[in-house]
Amino acid sequence: MTIDATVPNVARMYDYYLGGYHNFAADREAAEKILEIFPDTPAAARTNRRFMQRAVRRLSEAGVRQFLDIGAGLPTQGNVHEHTDGRVVYVDNDPVAVAQARALVEGDERVSVALADLRDPEALLADPDVCGHLDLAEPVAVLLVSMLHFVPDEADPWRLIARLRDATAPGSHLVLSHLTLDGVDAAPARQGTQVYRGASAPIVPRTRADILRLFDGFELLDPGLVWIGQWRPEPGEDQVSHGYGGVGVKR
Ligand SMILES: C[S@@+](CC[C@H](N)C(=O)[O-])C[C@H]1O[C@@H](n2cnc3c(N)ncnc32)[C@H](O)[C@@H]1O
């Protein structure tokens, strides 16, 4: 595996926001630029993790037994398989994130890890670590948590989700959170987006209306598409939200 430590990597920048150690100087330098513009980014990253964990717990309690976490990122505290006793597949297109995840879950038959890219959904679904581990004839919760803002409009994230929706059984869920710049002044918005232009993936914040359309063909569960921290919050959790989150079900 070759790692270019000189290009800021979006998975490792996020790891840095969360206080992790899987990052290099270039990642930290770019992340620090974001922190100068948006100092509450670490709190927002924690809010996002908590959203994912709550969604996984609620769906597990409701009987969902399979989780496909796409854009899973570098393993950090409170990974999906620690919040469910169902089967879990972690997917990322970053080889370092995949290698770290494999090292973490080695020997755990409940969990599998695939190196795949959402932009090629056919290859992702056909990957033996995905289709050999999950039964797609049974409901699956597909997680796209804080990752679709790395998929540009040209790759048509709406079509990619529709493909996953069509490949999964009725009763499957979509767990999604997404960065927005709704309500952010133009200057910091431009500066923040600029920092990611030099990173492994540019960032594409979207409006609430565009994020809502990602749920086409799913019925949103209560409380709908809301600020990430407002999705069924639990006492004592961070409430700094840099985006919207929601959970939908395919009927
Ligand atoms: C900000 S991290 C989110 C990690 C985790 N889902 C969370 O919310 O805590 C985004 C992850 O998406 C991954 N990613 C970006 N584009 C991707 C793509 N097209 N296919 C698969 N993974 C992708 C990145 O490598 C990174 O690990």
Side-chain angles (χ1 to χ4, degrees):
M1 186 198 331
T2 49
I3 302 172
D4 188 347
T6 63
V7 176
N9 173 283
V10 297
R12 299 194 297 258
M13 288 170 69
Y14 182 71
D15 177 66
Y16 182 70
Y17 302 143
L18 287 169
Y21 299 102
H22 301 298
N23 46 72
F24 299 115
D27 310 314
R28 293 190 285 275
E29 210 172 288
E32 283 294 341
K33 284 187 193 153
I34 292 293
L35 296 183
E36 273 171 34
I37 307 163
F38 300 109
D40 56 3
T41 298
R46 290 193 299 269
T47 300
N48 179 64
R49 290 293 293 181
R50 300 276 184 268
F51 157 75
M52 181 191 80
Q53 294 159 0
R54 289 195 303 279
V56 168
R57 288 199 300 271
R58 294 294 90 82
L59 293 181
S60 280
E61 286 159 12
V64 177
R65 308 300 306 147
Q66 308 191 96
F67 293 82
L68 177 57
D69 183 6
I70 303 176
L74 285 152
T76 179
Q77 282 178 12
N79 301 293
V80 170
H81 73 284
E82 297 162 75
H83 289 266
T84 175
D85 54 10
R87 296 177 84 75
V88 177
V89 176
Y90 292 116
V91 176
D92 208 286
N93 67 351
D94 182 85
V96 179
V98 167
Q100 295 286 347
R102 285 197 171 129
L104 178 78
V105 303
E106 202 184 347
D108 187 338
E109 296 201 338
R110 217 162 47 78
V111 189
S112 147
V113 185
L115 176 65
D117 195 306
L118 176 66
R119 290 168 297 179
D120 187 353
E122 308 307 329
L124 190 157
L125 291 164
D127 190 298
D129 284 311
V130 176
C131 65
H133 194 71
L134 301 177
D135 179 358
L136 293 182
E138 294 293 323
V140 181
V142 176
L143 277 68
L144 293 168
V145 179
S146 199
M147 71 79 67
L148 276 170
H149 43 243
F150 297 116
V151 177
D153 284 2
E154 304 86 85
D156 198 345
W158 299 274
R159 179 187 62 84
L160 298 173
I161 292 188
R163 178 67 194 96
L164 296 175
R165 185 194 64 219
D166 292 347
T168 50
S172 291
H173 289 75
L174 173 65
V175 177
L176 188 150
S177 66
H178 195 300
L179 181 74
T180 189
L181 288 174
D182 287 359
V184 175
D185 289 342
R190 199 174 45 247
Q191 289 161 3
T193 311
Q194 186 65 35
V195 173
Y196 275 92
R197 224 163 262 159
S200 55
I203 205 157
V204 189
R206 293 192 169 94
T207 63
R208 185 176 186 283
D210 281 346
I211 297 169
L212 191 59
R213 280 202 296 122
L214 293 165
F215 284 95
D216 277 359
F218 291 91
E219 183 184 313
L220 274 164
L221 304 185
D222 273 350
L225 182 66
V226 291
W227 289 107
I228 295 172
Q230 289 173 4
W231 196 88
R232 305 191 192 179
E234 291 170 9
E237 292 185 334
D238 285 310
Q239 283 300 337
V240 177
S241 301
H242 283 184
Y244 298 106
V247 178
V249 61
K250 171 181 169 174
R251 296 293 185 196

